[in-house]
Amino acid sequence: MAQALATSQVEQDDYQDSMPGEALTKGDLNRMAWRSLLLQASFNYERMQAGGWLYTLIPGLRKIHKNPQDLGNSMKMHMEFINVHPFDATLLSGLVLAMERNKEKISTIRAVKVALMGPLGGIGDALFWLTLLPICAGIGASLALQGSLFGPIVFLLLFNIVHFGLRFGLAHYGYRAGINALALLKTHTKNISHAASIVGMTVIGALVASYVRFSTPVVVNAGKASVALQKDVLDKLMPNLLPLCFTLLVFWLMKKGFSPVKLIGLTVVLGIVGKFVGFL
């Protein structure tokens, strides 16, 4: 809220025209959802997604506010700092347009935006990045590893069917629910995010065991006995132990600040050196 107010240029809190604005049609909401694809087109570190956010709302705001000064104040408020998950942002934009149509106080609309940015970000990360993306990528990668050209096509279709379905569906739901959606979302945000995170981490764990290839051909000779380190020791302790250890190592290095590019380079070097010395 402090950062939003720091960039605020709003001149008054109440709209001059207090009569409810013109209702938005399904076409208006669909147009808003399409425009939300450019939410991060003007991303910057002062106001984050403010430019794309206002671009998403402008057609609806122009239809609602016939008074030029009211429209100007509304647009100034929506150019304040905002940072929300780009895939479920349409729920918030639909809710905001419902409040704009009812001519709620600008401070109230601002407070709703700020209150929902964090929860929608958490839900979006859990649903899309930790659940939907690994599942769709796993299905597509599985087909690709079998030599099917449909692997990437299936991945893109599955991911975007859910993505666009939610993007447009949430726009209509947010507008219809209006302010009533706020209490509902706040009540279930933590449960939804927690459940989605569990599912997503379970899927990621399965992907590690299935797709991370890491084994060693090292054979330990003790007298006349030969013990294959991978088959006779590691696999008996825990199947796919080396892939798990390597994944945890990469995760630890990311926590230490290593960039993905450095980790990719480290993996390539480790594979080449390991193969050269006979460890991998």
Side-chain angles (χ1 to χ4, degrees), residues 71-250:
L71 177 60
N73 277 331
S74 176
M75 292 174 67
K76 288 176 182 177
M77 185 269 289
H78 289 300
M79 271 300 291
E80 296 170 1
F81 175 91
I82 184 172
N83 188 27
V84 65
H85 195 283
F87 287 3
D88 59 13
T90 51
L91 174 65
L92 181 56
S93 57
L95 175 60
V96 163
L97 285 179
M99 297 179 69
E100 290 278 7
R101 184 191 171 223
N102 290 332
K103 303 299 177 66
E104 301 285 348
K105 289 181 177 292
I106 290 179
S107 59
T108 303
I109 301 174
R110 177 191 288 122
V112 169
K113 284 174 53 182
V114 173
L116 289 183
M117 282 192 296
L120 286 176
I123 290 176
D125 288 341
L127 286 177
F128 292 102
W129 303 148
L130 295 179
T131 304
L132 179 63
L133 184 61
I135 291 174
C136 295
I139 295 173
S142 178
L143 292 173
L145 287 174
Q146 296 174 21
S148 174
L149 295 176
F150 288 100
I153 298 174
V154 169
F155 161 64
L156 291 173
L157 284 176
L158 288 177
F159 184 81
N160 284 297
I161 285 173
V162 178
H163 161 217
F164 279 97
L166 285 175
R167 185 181 288 269
F168 282 82
L170 289 174
H172 291 268
Y173 174 76
Y175 181 75
R176 287 197 309 269
I179 196 62
N180 294 327
L182 180 60
L184 180 64
L185 186 63
K186 282 188 172 180
T187 301
H188 298 290
T189 290
K190 187 174 181 180
N191 294 333
I192 294 172
S193 180
H194 181 64
S197 297
I198 292 174
V199 174
M201 295 307 295
T202 302
V203 172
I204 290 175
L207 291 176
V208 170
S210 301
Y211 299 119
V212 178
R213 307 296 185 187
F214 201 106
S215 61
T216 177
V218 173
V219 176
V220 178
N221 295 312
K224 295 182 178 181
S226 297
V227 179
L229 184 60
Q230 179 72 50
K231 181 179 178 180
D232 298 330
V233 179
L234 297 178
D235 286 349
K236 291 187 182 298
L237 289 174
M238 179 190 293
N240 297 306
L241 178 61
L242 286 181
L244 174 62
C245 292
F246 181 70
T247 302
L248 293 176
L249 173 64
V250 171

Side-chain angles (χ1 to χ4, degrees), residues 11-12 15-16 65-76 106:
E11 298 172 359
Q12 59 189 46
Y15 288 122
Q16 292 182 356
H65 296 295
K66 302 302 183 183
N67 183 301
Q69 187 170 349
D70 287 348
L71 177 60
N73 277 331
S74 176
M75 292 174 67
K76 288 176 182 177
I106 290 179

Side-chain angles (χ1 to χ4, degrees), residues 47-61:
R47 306 189 186 198
M48 294 293 182
Q49 302 162 331
W53 172 258
L54 179 58
Y55 175 78
T56 300
L57 298 179
I58 279 179
L61 294 178

